Every structure is written in structure tokens, then in C-alpha cells.
Amino acid sequence: MLHVDSVTAGYGAISVLKAISLRVAEGEIVTLIGGNGAGKTTTLNVICGVVPVRSGKVVFGGRSITGQSPNAVVRLGMAHSPEGRKIFPRMTVLENLEMGAFTRNDKAGITSDLERSFALFPILGERKHQLGGTLSGGEQQMLAVARALMSRPKLLLLDEPSLGLAPLIVARIFEVVKELNRGGVTVLLVEQNARTALRLAHRGYVIETGEITMEGQASALLADERVQKAYLGE
Ligand SMILES: Nc1ncnc2c1ncn2[C@@H]1O[C@H](COP(=O)(O)OP(=O)(O)OP(=O)(O)O)[C@@H](O)[C@H]1O
Ligand SMILES: [Mg+2]
């Protein structure tokens, strides 16, 4: 479904991604783990068109999306729940969710997907008229995930959905990711919490200073001594 081929990218004079390659097959949950500053967020931002590709290519659903705008990429079926939540603080929960559906005009489908958001995250239903900026951190994270789902993506990119959240909320978010995946959504998950991510995912990649240094089945990475030392605190 997604092929990232030898992609380099960076900011100004700084090169961050050094010819990284990864792929995500339809139906998979794939996780990208790595330390702070390794290039995880940059990788997701390159895939969804927010950061330009300098060389290499990104192919989604069989067609090249290299150089496409983020909006065009959403229309092709990819949604991104960015790091740091980035919800619209002066809009209500409901308006934030409606923004997530900006590519659609099927009113009935949108209404039923709003209902689905509130079924997945009941707290959002209770707070649908509250301004996004006044939600708690965990509620904002749920809103960011729910908003991404409003475009009915085939592929969902999640950047650190568990960051700074209480264990119960983290558990809920990962449960939702699992449910969505069972329902047919493919997921590329970036996480600092490597153990939880590898338990949830089918496969994983390790990124270190802009290079993919390991890849494999999630269970094999969990059992790998280098991964355990570097990312699992063992
Ligand atoms: N907008 C930017 N301008 C300049 N440099 C940037 C920018 N965004 C990121 N960087 C740099 O690129 C490198 C990779 O950052 P990135 O955000 O991709 O890392 P990350 O793996 O997501 O880290 P973290 O786990 O801390 O979120 C870092 O050295 C960072 O300082
Ligand atoms: Mg990041």
C-alpha cells in the first residue's frame, strides 16, 4: 500500500533522512521506533506531503505521491494524526471533527462517522460543544485521532499518540487502533513507547539518526537484544 524508496529530506542545510526505505502492506500495523530526533516525525511528514522529498520517491496505492500537497494526499486516502495533537483550539470538538471530513460531501456518511467517533471515544460526545483548546491533553489526543478518521482513510499515520497520557487513556487509544485495524484500516505508528507499539504492531522499523537500522516482525524486534537495550530499557 505504501512504499517509501530511498527518500532523503531535511530542513534548510540540514539533512535529516538519509535514503530511508520502508513499506506498509494493506491491513498491517507497522511501527517506526527510534530515539528523540531520529527522524520519525520527519518521516511521517514526508509521507503525507508536509515536508518535501529531496530525492527518492513515495508511492501510495500504486501511484507516486512524491511532491503532492497534503490535501491531495488526504483525498487519496491517507490521514495523519500529527505529533503534539495540533487540533484547532478555537473550534468546538464537533467543528474539529467536521474539518477532518473536508474532502467529503456525503452528509449521511459524515453524520454516521461522527457517531462512530463518539462511540469510539464517548468523552468526545459528551464534550462536542466544548472548544478544542479547553480539552485535557488526553481528550485532545483522542480528538486528533478521531479527526484523522473523519476522512475515512485507508492508511492512518499516527505520530506519538500516547505522548504524555495516563496509562488508561493510552490503553484506550491503542485499543481503538486495534479495532480500526480489524475494520480494515492500515496503520503506520510512530511511538516512543516501543514496547507497547511492538506488541500492537505486525512489523517494525528502527530509525537512528535518519537511517533505518533494523526491520522485522514485531515479535522478533521485541526479542532482539539491541532493541531491548536501546528502546525497551532491559
Ligand atoms: N522544522 C524544522 N526545522 C529544522 N530542523 C528540524 C525541523 N523539524 C525537525 N528538525 C530536526 O530534524 C531532526 C529530526 O526531527 P524529528 O522531529 O523528525 O525527530 P523525531 O524522531 O520525531 O523525534 P522525537 O522523538 O523527539 O519526536 C532533529 O534533529 C530536529 O531538530
Ligand atoms: Mg517526533
Side-chain angles (χ1 to χ4, degrees):
M1 172 176 267
L2 177 74
H3 283 259
V4 174
D5 275 337
S6 293
V7 163
T8 62
Y11 308 93
I14 303 163
S15 212
V16 176
L17 302 182
K18 299 157 193 150
I20 68 156
S21 296
L22 57 88
R23 65 192 167 76
V24 181
E26 190 166 350
E28 279 191 309
I29 300 177
V30 172
T31 186
L32 177 63
I33 61 176
N36 289 122
K40 303 181 299 298
T41 295
T42 304
T43 301
L44 293 191
N45 282 338
V46 159
I47 292 170
C48 70
V50 169
V51 168
V53 171
R54 288 183 173 169
S55 65
K57 63 178 187 210
V58 182
V59 176
F60 177 54
R63 64 151 91 181
S64 171
I65 55 166
T66 320
Q68 297 255 15
S69 73
N71 283 359
V73 172
V74 173
R75 283 175 211 283
L76 292 173
M78 190 191 299
H80 180 208
S81 172
E83 187 177 37
R85 297 152 200 159
K86 304 222 170 73
I87 53 131
F88 303 110
R90 290 169 190 278
M91 289 186 179
T92 65
V93 167
L94 191 58
E95 288 163 346
N96 266 276
L97 292 172
E98 285 166 353
M99 289 297 287
F102 77 96
T103 55
R104 301 169 57 184
N105 47 27
D106 56 319
K107 272 217 170 118
I110 293 173
T111 304
S112 84
D113 283 356
L114 284 170
E115 290 311 315
R116 180 181 72 159
S117 302
F118 301 144
L120 287 174
F121 299 113
I123 191 82
L124 295 181
E126 288 166 30
R127 298 182 175 257
K128 62 181 155 193
H129 299 301
Q130 189 171 323
L131 293 182
T134 65
L135 295 175
S136 76
E139 290 162 357
Q140 290 190 29
Q141 186 62 65
M142 293 182 210
L143 180 56
V145 174
R147 185 183 60 186
L149 291 174
M150 287 302 295
S151 65
R152 284 225 186 151
K154 299 184 198 109
L155 175 65
L156 177 62
L157 309 180
L158 291 171
D159 197 345
E160 309 259 13
S162 76
L163 194 66
L165 302 186
L168 267 179
I169 299 176
V170 173
R172 178 63 194 142
I173 287 186
F174 283 112
E175 207 176 274
V176 167
V177 172
K178 213 177 210 169
E179 275 173 46
L180 291 167
N181 179 251
R182 280 202 207 100
V185 180
T186 304
V187 179
L188 177 57
L189 169 68
V190 160
E191 261 295 327
Q192 290 266 333
N193 189 340
R195 187 185 314 274
T196 313
L198 287 170
R199 282 189 180 147
L200 181 76
H202 303 105
R203 289 191 305 114
Y205 291 86
V206 176
I207 183 169
E208 291 172 44
T209 55
E211 291 180 89
I212 301 287
T213 52
M214 293 180 73
E215 62 177 281
Q217 294 297 314
S219 54
L221 291 175
L222 269 173
D224 186 280
E225 219 170 273
R226 287 164 296 170
V227 173
Q228 290 177 351
K229 273 216 179 87
Y231 304 107
L232 304 175
E234 284 174 14

